Amino acid sequence: VIHADALVDRLHAGVVAVDRDLMVAAWNVFMTTHTGKPARDVVGTDLRLACPDAPAEWLAWKVRTVFELGTQAFSSWRQRPYVIRMPHNRPLTGGIDCMRQDLTFLPVFDRSGAVAQVCIVITDATDVAMAELAVARSHAATVREHAAREQLEAQLRLAHTAAMGQLAAGVAHELNTPMQFIGDSVQFALDSATELIGFAAKLPDDGSAQDVTILVDDLPIALRRAIDGVERVSRIVRSLRVFAQPQNGGSAVVDVNAAIENTLVLAASEYRSVADVALDLTPVRQVACLADEINVVLLNLIVNAARAITDAFALTGTRGVLGVRSRQLAGSVEIAISDTGAGIPADAVERVFDLAAAAAPAGKPTGLGLAMARAVVEKHGGRLWFETGDAGTTFYLDLPTSFASAAAPA
Amino acid sequence: MNCEAISEVVNIGIGQAGDKLARLLSCFVRISTPRLRIVDVDGAQAVLAHVCSEAQVIVTRQAFSSQIRGEVLTVFDTTSRDLVAELVHYPTTDPDEMILEISNLIVATCLSGIGAQISYELSFSPPSILDVVREGGLALDRSWRVALIAELALQVEDRPFRARLFMFWADDALETFQRAAERLFGDDP
């Protein structure tokens, strides 16, 4: 017959018994091999003296609760990596400083049913701990990779926007000359037609006067309409050239009001059919900034406002108002762009400036999300924020008029 | 199913547990009369999912084994978590370790008290924290048929500390519990 003590000595777990005063009554072989202290040195001494590194007060509380309640107590490596420091069982493969331990404090009852001793069982949780650590590390790596990919995508979007800007500037430049001679030629045609109509009036009537009268009435109207169209195209081309003018990384002095008007011309297709523009531009000082970047921010805010109104229009069928206001503050210019849409939903308010939310829905590229817009504005020492409610959303853009000095520390 | 005998056992068991806890914590502990429900999986989901989805709660779980084996959920609100440190003179700075300690004290004492009435010595698993928020709510095991959920609330005098316990026995364990309780308190001889 094998004695129970011999079995306890075969366990791959530490077994320690203590009395109410934490005097050690039993100490198995696992404890000896892992602490280097033989049972004969430890049994009969205070556990807190035998293991001076262990948390004394904590051990006393645990043992006390088991004595008083007569139930088990526990400790997990997750909250308390170890109680009695022991070497881990990976001298070759390593990867951790010392053994992770789970502890169980068991009541040992005497014949009368009273708690006589507390049996402390220490189990080795190192392998579980390392597995969890590996999972956590791999998760952290995934999160990092995801963040890096998002940043790369944002940079690509920005690069794409810059490339489109250059392309637009090139096209605008190429269109400018032909638009000029089309305009000149149509004007010449109108002047000539007016003269010819004068001559025609002096010719004798041979019965085809009816046809000539129609020509005389309609030709100048058609030509004037052509001139009007040419002027509108020229205006868009001019706006596009100003908007997309290539920058060499340096800041330029920008007339904010002119920039707003240009941007409204370019974005007209986004709002014309659903909203009227309420423009309230007051004279403001010029702002030194990276003009192309600020132009894109304005375009984003105006397009966003237009889309909010478009969504509301789809529901109500009522035209909205796209408000654009500028005013001079003490050290900055404030631009407010408001819409009469349905407002930003409460659950989305927190995420408006999130990079992740910058991904525009398919087919509706905004070029630059609000996250990037805010980054651009903050780079200029300015602020971008919003107020939203049932009656719509207003984005405020505050650009310091002293940017040139503030942003030139290098 | 008639729960009167079980109800009697639970009442006496937790009464004794309350006394023991009060002595350990040196304060007056009040435990509400348990509310017993016989449920199926959907019923249990309805009872527990609601509790666990409340904002600002911490939920721990712990198993107990013997022939009347089962599981307990303990639900604390965050105010109570912050109060534990002054209630339990447990030397730790880790809030999770603190909540697991108080949770084990309450669960083990209440369940041992109940087990003692019907002469079952229970053994417990270590408690752990259920991350109900991150896991998007409580998902229950569905492999059982019928269960008893005994709900009780534990309060401490003069402090807003409050813990709710949901003790759970299913199928065979419930039948064993019922038979043992009826041997003590049943009408039939």
Side-chain angles (χ1 to χ4, degrees), chain A residues 58 61-62 71-72 80, chain B residues 88 90 97 101 104 112 124:
Chain A
W58 182 88
W61 165 269
K62 285 287 188 189
T71 59
Q72 287 152 256
R80 192 171 289 272
Chain B
V88 183
Y90 180 55
E97 191 181 21
E101 179 72 4
N104 177 62
S112 297
F124 295 88

Side-chain angles (χ1 to χ4, degrees), chain A residues 158-184:
Chain A
L158 195 59
H160 179 73
T161 308
M164 292 314 289
Q166 281 178 12
L167 190 65
V171 170
H173 182 77
E174 291 302 320
L175 284 178
N176 199 38
T177 315
M179 283 319 293
Q180 243 161 25
F181 64 69
I182 292 172
D184 292 348

Side-chain angles (χ1 to χ4, degrees), chain B residues 136-153:
Chain B
L138 188 68
L140 296 182
D141 180 72
R142 307 189 72 89
S143 62
W144 50 274
R145 208 170 44 76
V146 61
L148 168 70
I149 291 179
E151 175 186 354
L152 53 89

Side-chain angles (χ1 to χ4, degrees), chain A residues 94-128:
Chain A
I96 203 157
D97 56 343
C98 63
M99 183 194 290
R100 293 292 176 269
Q101 299 170 344
D102 283 337
L103 273 72
T104 307
F105 296 75
L106 297 155
V108 181
F109 300 98
D110 63 17
R111 281 174 201 283
S112 73
V115 181
Q117 287 178 335
V118 171
C119 176
I120 306 171
V121 180
I122 303 173
T123 51
D124 183 351
T126 309
D127 290 345
V128 179

